[in-house]
Amino acid sequence: MNQFDGRIPATLGQLKRIQLIELEEISYQGSLPLDLGFTLPNLEVLMVGGNQFTGPIPPSISNASNLRELGIETNRFSGKVPTLENLQKLKMVNIYGNQLGHGEEDDLKFLNSLKNATSLEILHIGDNRFGVMLPDVIGNLSTQLRFLIVENNQMFGKIPTGIGNLVNLEVLDLCGNQFTGHIPNNIGNLHKLHLLMVEENRFSGDIPSSLGNLTLLNLLRLDRNNLQGTIPLSLGRCTSLEYLDLSCNNLSGVIPPEVTGLSSLSIYFDLSLNQLTGSLPSNVGNLINLASLDISENKLSGEIPNSLGSCVCLQQLVMDGNFFQGNIPSTLSSLRGIDYLDLSSNNLSGQIPNFLVNFPFLMYLNLSNNDFEGEVPIVGVFNNASAISLLGNDKLCGGITELHLSNCPIKRSKQTQSVSKKVIIPIVVGILLLAMMLCLIIIRWWRRTKRNSSSASPLLASFLQVSYENLLKATARFSSENLIGSGSFGYVYKGILDHNEMVVAVKVLNLQHRGASRSFLAECEALRSIRHRNLVKIISACASVDFQGNDFKALIYEFMVNGSLEEWLHPNVTTDVLQEAPRNLNFLQRLDIAINVACAVDYLHNHGQTPMVHCDLKPSNVLLDDELTAHVGDFGLARFLPEGTHSLSSNQTSSIGVRGTVGYAAPEYSMGSEVSTQGDVYSYGILLLEMFTGKRPTDEMFNGDMNLHDFVKTAILERVIEIVDPVLLQEIEEGQTSLRSHSVRECLISIFGIGVTCSSRSPSERTNMDDVTAQLHSIKNRLLQTPRLGQRLL
């Protein structure tokens, strides 16, 4: 941490011609010298944002009459903002994210002195403590003002009508305050506005129709107010709108076709939690580039329009809590990018469309509280009980067992019954003969294997088994060229099964290793009982003897072309040389992988037939497919729990000997505590911290009392950028992400917070995996929905 004692070095003080000071985001502490303006009277640029400066803004700053840019954002400055009346050349004042003001009447008195700054373009005073009314003088500021941001200050009262004088404004952000009254009609005079954000206030009355004059507007947020009346038709003239949020108000009337016809809407369109009536206009199909549509919790009715199927870029479609009726249109089959679909609490009927099983990204489907009927599919998203909700549809049947639906009746015609009587006897005889032949074959095979397989056979019966000879051929006699990994209980080879040319991963158990056979049985038992898109899929198994008469056990899995998460987080020199490009995961890819793993563990703990603890979560056991979707594998240490519990009872197997991997195993396991879901939560927390710091928990820097958990915990709030994986930091700094830096920082803090909580030493302090999954989804949604404010404010 850099220390700043408040003094400018003597040699610096003698340089009266200094015009620029830039000390941004280098973790300085201390305070600015009170005589700064006298010492450096020719200063033109003062940029010290993103540090930990405390104390007041030096009143002497007004003496630096040439100052053009004042940027002290994201520090801990406190007290009142001094008068800036002599700073007539100011173009930017950014004091965002400090502790300025005391909620007193003269907190914003400094705005009076800014009347003299006729070239002022940027005024950002958000996230401070100015809990007062916005003064009328705001309308007398420079007509050159382009950015006016006062968010999150607990300001109250009405918006001065003079705000309509700022005709060059491009960004107006008043969100997160307690403003009341009507939204000024003359905001419609601000023809150059690109972003208008007044959400999370107490505005009432109608939405001004004058907003239709803002034809350059890209983002409009009026959500979470007390607005009434109808949606003005004039918004249809805002033909540059990409993001529109009118949710959480008291709006009534119909959805104007003029608004749903805005083909520019591409990021977000939210009308939820209002009192809107009528149907969804058929021209909603014009929104061909829209990513998220939410019209939930209104009073909308009629059928879902067929034209909605034209919105092929939709990722989230939320229509619950209305009165929609009829079938789900077949045209929605074109929405293959959907990952979140909620049609619950309507009056929809008919059968569940089979095309939903082919949506490759669908992770949440809610069709509950409708009137659907018929058989529920069992593949795709319907194979994951935790990803779907079908409650309140009494006419549904079938589906996977976890849904607890009744069996579908078998419809048989009279003609079919007549035919069945004629063929049933030959069929029964044929089955008996076949059964006898199979018994003879099994007896001969059992004698030839020369081993006792009584404990394994019930488990292996769940899989289509392959022979030792098949695997020998598939892996080129287990050649070193096909060796792709190794673990404590054996080796993993890449292979191609000759009967269907399927590329597979073959895990061959080293039966000389103590516990290998038990690991084999545990993995068979685990994998025959679980099915989830983020768990490695087992294809087959082999329990036989090799050509020397030795026992041979192997498991055959779906092959993951992108290897393990370990290889991506910590590539070795050899791997880098063989790759055409460095194998680096960007911010969103890591977040998606973290969500994938969390969903898998949540399923194991809370949504499978029997609760299960993985016991060995770590990057090498997280495998990535061709789309970098994560799949948790290696269930050799997994343990089932009694239903309704979160740990093994005292009369069951202890965790002694089931300690997982050093650095990832929960600390209580080393003291003989029982296996529990909270042990997996600890391992997940360490894995999450490793993903975003780039540091293994066994790194050399972690010795003595220092560990990865404490390393992150001590830096999470004040020095979060210092602990981020340098690869990610470089990505953010080089502008390879479209996310605002302060938003990335906030999300990093949230992610690290989850990791720290999950890896708490005390099991009782750890978060449950269902909460972890929800929090990570929230972080991702916040990232994807964060609008860009322009390069100057990044």
Side-chain angles (χ1 to χ4, degrees):
M1 181 67 67
N2 298 300
Q3 298 290 331
F4 187 77
D5 62 7
R7 295 176 296 173
I8 295 178
T11 54
L12 186 60
Q14 295 167 4
L15 300 177
K16 298 291 186 179
R17 297 181 181 178
I18 283 184
Q19 298 176 332
L20 171 69
I21 293 180
E22 286 192 3
L23 301 172
E24 294 187 290
E25 297 191 3
I26 50 179
S27 301
Y28 265 117
Q29 288 182 335
S31 58
L32 292 179
L34 296 178
D35 60 350
L36 179 68
F38 298 120
T39 309
L40 303 172
N42 293 310
L43 195 62
E44 295 184 10
V45 176
L46 176 62
M47 306 290 283
V48 296
N51 289 291
Q52 298 180 39
F53 284 114
T54 56
I57 302 172
S60 65
I61 195 70
S62 188
N63 189 63
S65 57
N66 290 321
L67 195 65
R68 292 182 291 104
E69 299 186 18
L70 174 62
I72 62 169
E73 73 279 4
T74 322
N75 279 285
R76 298 179 181 178
F77 289 108
S78 58
K80 296 188 181 300
V81 180
T83 179
L84 306 173
E85 58 186 355
N86 294 330
L87 306 182
Q88 299 180 13
K89 298 181 180 180
L90 274 175
K91 290 189 175 183
M92 184 191 78
V93 175
N94 188 353
I95 58 176
Y96 159 83
N98 283 284
Q99 300 170 15
L100 298 165
H102 300 289
E104 299 176 0
E105 189 173 347
D106 60 348
D107 275 351
L108 296 179
K109 188 175 181 181
F110 74 94
L111 293 179
N112 288 310
S113 62
L114 287 176
K115 289 188 297 183
N116 301 324
T118 57
S119 299
L120 188 64
E121 296 181 7
I122 297 174
L123 178 59
H124 193 344
I125 63 175
D127 277 319
N128 279 288
R129 299 175 178 178
F130 302 129
V132 297
M133 296 180 66
L134 193 62
D136 291 336
V137 71
I138 203 76
N140 297 326
L141 295 180
S142 165
T143 56
Q144 302 303 312
L145 197 64
R146 296 187 300 115
F147 292 79
L148 175 58
I149 304 173
V150 301
E151 61 177 334
N152 298 327
N153 266 303
Q154 298 302 306
M155 293 183 182
F156 56 87
K158 296 183 178 181
I159 300 299
T161 56
I163 205 167
N165 299 332
L166 306 176
V167 292
N168 284 303
L169 271 186
E170 297 174 17
V171 174
L172 176 58
D173 188 349
L174 309 175
C175 73
N177 288 288
Q178 299 179 31
F179 291 121
T180 55
H182 292 195
I183 297 174
N185 192 61
N186 63 358
I187 282 183
N189 297 339
L190 309 180
H191 298 288
K192 295 185 179 180
L193 267 185
H194 289 274
L195 306 179
L196 175 57
M197 294 169 282
V198 300
E199 73 272 16
E200 294 186 70
N201 281 286
R202 299 178 182 177
F203 288 114
S204 57
D206 294 345
I207 298 174
S209 61
S210 63
L211 295 186
N213 299 334
L214 308 180
T215 56
L216 299 180
L217 203 61
N218 302 123
L219 179 146
L220 176 60
R221 292 197 61 177
L222 307 180
D223 51 292
R224 284 169 285 183
N225 281 286
N226 296 315
L227 297 171
Q228 300 164 349
T230 60
I231 300 172
L233 307 183
S234 60
L235 288 182
R237 300 201 303 269
C238 300
T239 54
S240 298
L241 264 183
E242 299 175 358
Y243 189 116
L244 176 60
D245 191 347
L246 307 180
S247 64
C248 301
N249 283 288
N250 292 307
L251 300 174
S252 56
V254 301
I255 300 175
E258 289 82 356
V259 177
T260 50
L262 283 171
S263 58
S264 58
L265 285 170
S266 58
I267 301 175
Y268 194 74
F269 184 18
D270 193 347
L271 302 177
S272 64
L273 291 160
N274 281 289
Q275 303 292 321
L276 299 172
T277 56
S279 60
L280 181 61
S282 60
N283 69 343
V284 70
N286 291 352
L287 307 179
I288 57 175
N289 297 309
L290 186 63
S292 178
L293 174 62
D294 190 344
I295 54 174
S296 62
E297 301 297 335
N298 280 285
K299 298 179 180 179
L300 300 170
S301 58
E303 296 188 349
I304 298 174
N306 288 321
S307 59
L308 192 59
S310 300
C311 305
V312 293
C313 292
L314 275 178
Q315 297 175 22
Q316 297 183 350
L317 177 58
V318 188
M319 304 176 67
D320 60 284
N322 285 286
F323 301 105
F324 288 112
Q325 61 189 35
N327 297 339
I328 298 176
S330 60
T331 55
L332 297 196
S333 61
S334 60
L335 307 184
R336 292 182 53 81
I338 286 279
D339 59 35
Y340 189 104
L341 177 59
D342 192 343
L343 303 177
S344 63
S345 299
N346 281 286
N347 297 318
L348 298 171
S349 57
Q351 294 192 333
I352 295 175
N354 203 52
F355 62 72
L356 292 175
V357 306
N358 297 319
F359 283 10
F361 305 108
L362 190 57
M363 297 184 65
Y364 179 84
L365 174 64
N366 192 344
L367 302 178
S368 61
N369 298 314
N370 281 286
D371 195 28
F372 291 113
E373 61 184 28
E375 186 171 3
V376 176
I378 59 173
V379 294
V381 69
F382 295 95
N383 191 33
N384 180 3
S386 64
I388 61 173
S389 179
L390 302 174
L391 299 173
N393 291 281
D394 297 335
K395 300 176 185 177
L396 289 176
C397 62
I400 59 176
T401 56
E402 292 91 334
L403 297 177
H404 304 294
L405 297 174
S406 60
N407 294 327
C408 294
I410 300 175
K411 297 180 180 180
R412 300 175 60 189
S413 65
K414 292 182 178 180
Q415 182 179 3
T416 302
Q417 293 176 9
S418 176
V419 171
S420 65
K421 291 178 181 179
K422 296 179 181 179
V423 299
I424 190 169
I425 295 177
I427 289 176
V428 170
V429 173
I431 291 175
L432 290 175
L433 291 173
L434 181 61
M436 292 175 63
M437 292 175 63
L438 286 175
C439 287
L440 293 173
I441 292 171
I442 291 172
I443 291 172
R444 291 185 63 187
W445 173 84
W446 177 79
R447 289 176 177 173
R448 184 165 53 94
T449 58
K450 300 180 180 180
R451 64 184 179 88
N452 182 8
S453 60
S454 58
S455 61
S457 56
L459 304 179
L460 295 178
S462 302
F463 305 121
L464 173 66
Q465 298 181 54
V466 298
S467 68
Y468 170 76
E469 187 176 1
N470 292 148
L471 295 181
L472 197 67
K473 182 179 179 181
T475 59
R477 306 187 68 83
F478 303 112
S479 68
S480 58
E481 288 81 4
N482 285 331
L483 182 65
I484 58 175
S486 62
S488 55
F489 293 130
Y491 302 93
V492 182
Y493 298 87
K494 179 180 178 181
I496 302 177
L497 294 179
D498 58 355
H499 63 280
N500 57 10
E501 296 187 351
M502 177 186 292
V503 181
V504 294
V506 182
K507 180 179 178 181
V508 179
L509 278 293
N510 177 9
L511 299 180
Q512 303 303 313
H513 191 290
R514 181 182 178 185
S517 292
R518 185 174 62 185
S519 170
F520 176 76
L521 296 178
E523 197 148 5
C524 286
E525 178 66 21
L527 291 170
R528 80 186 184 106
S529 306
I530 54 178
R531 298 177 71 181
H532 190 275
R533 70 186 299 268
N534 295 123
L535 297 176
V536 172
K537 179 183 178 182
I538 188 169
I539 295 173
S540 186
C542 177
S544 182
V545 292
D546 62 21
F547 292 156
Q548 285 75 43
N550 300 313
D551 284 354
F552 177 86
K553 289 184 174 70
L555 293 165
I556 299 90
Y557 299 98
E558 183 180 11
F559 181 70
M560 297 289 163
V561 297
N562 274 312
S564 72
L565 178 60
E566 170 82 15
E567 297 166 10
W568 285 79
L569 293 179
H570 311 289
N572 56 44
V573 176
T574 303
T575 302
D576 273 342
V577 170
L578 294 175
Q579 296 294 326
E580 294 181 3
R583 297 180 65 159
N584 296 327
L585 295 169
N586 64 32
F587 190 96
L588 283 175
Q589 286 171 334
R590 297 189 195 210
L591 182 55
D592 280 335
I593 291 170
I595 292 173
N596 294 158
V597 177
C599 289
V601 181
D602 180 32
Y603 168 80
L604 295 176
H605 290 182
N606 303 307
H607 305 292
Q609 291 181 344
T610 306
M612 183 187 300
V613 182
H614 185 277
C615 292
D616 200 17
L617 282 176
K618 56 184 178 181
S620 60
N621 286 340
V622 176
L623 304 179
L624 307 177
D625 64 17
D626 55 344
E627 296 180 344
L628 290 179
T629 300
H631 302 256
V632 175
D634 199 338
F635 288 80
L637 298 180
R639 292 290 185 272
F640 287 100
L641 303 180
E643 209 158 340
T645 69
H646 293 280
S647 64
L648 288 174
S649 58
S650 56
N651 62 349
Q652 290 180 290
T653 307
S654 169
S655 64
I656 297 177
V658 189
R659 301 184 183 183
T661 302
V662 173
Y664 301 93
E668 63 267 21
Y669 285 180
S670 64
M671 297 181 286
S673 294
E674 307 299 338
V675 166
S676 71
T677 56
Q678 290 304 307
D680 276 358
V681 174
Y682 178 89
S683 302
Y684 178 81
I686 295 297
L687 184 147
L688 186 63
L689 297 181
E690 181 176 355
M691 286 179 65
F692 286 89
T693 62
K695 297 187 182 297
R696 292 185 176 95
T698 54
D699 194 285
E700 292 180 357
M701 69 177 293
F702 302 131
N703 50 44
D705 295 330
M706 177 57 71
N707 55 40
L708 180 56
H709 168 92
D710 294 335
F711 170 72
V712 174
K713 186 176 181 180
T714 56
I716 190 171
L717 294 179
E718 299 178 354
R719 297 180 290 109
V720 67
I721 297 301
E722 295 181 15
I723 61 174
V724 176
D725 187 341
V727 174
L728 283 182
L729 197 57
Q730 182 179 1
E731 172 204 347
I732 296 169
E733 289 177 347
E734 291 181 354
Q736 295 174 8
T737 175
S738 62
L739 308 172
R740 290 188 300 177
S741 60
H742 77 271
S743 298
V744 173
R745 189 182 298 109
E746 291 171 2
C747 290
L748 279 170
I749 291 173
S750 299
I751 291 168
F752 282 136
I754 294 171
V756 167
T757 304
C758 288
S759 59
S760 297
R761 187 166 186 84
S762 171
S764 62
E765 296 177 2
R766 300 171 194 160
T767 312
N768 291 327
M769 288 309 300
D770 52 352
D771 292 332
V772 170
T773 304
Q775 291 173 31
L776 289 175
H777 275 297
S778 176
I779 291 170
K780 181 180 177 181
N781 289 336
R782 193 161 72 245
L783 274 171
L784 295 179
Q785 295 170 7
T786 300
R788 299 179 65 183
L789 291 184
Q791 189 172 357
R792 290 302 300 270
L793 296 179
L794 289 178

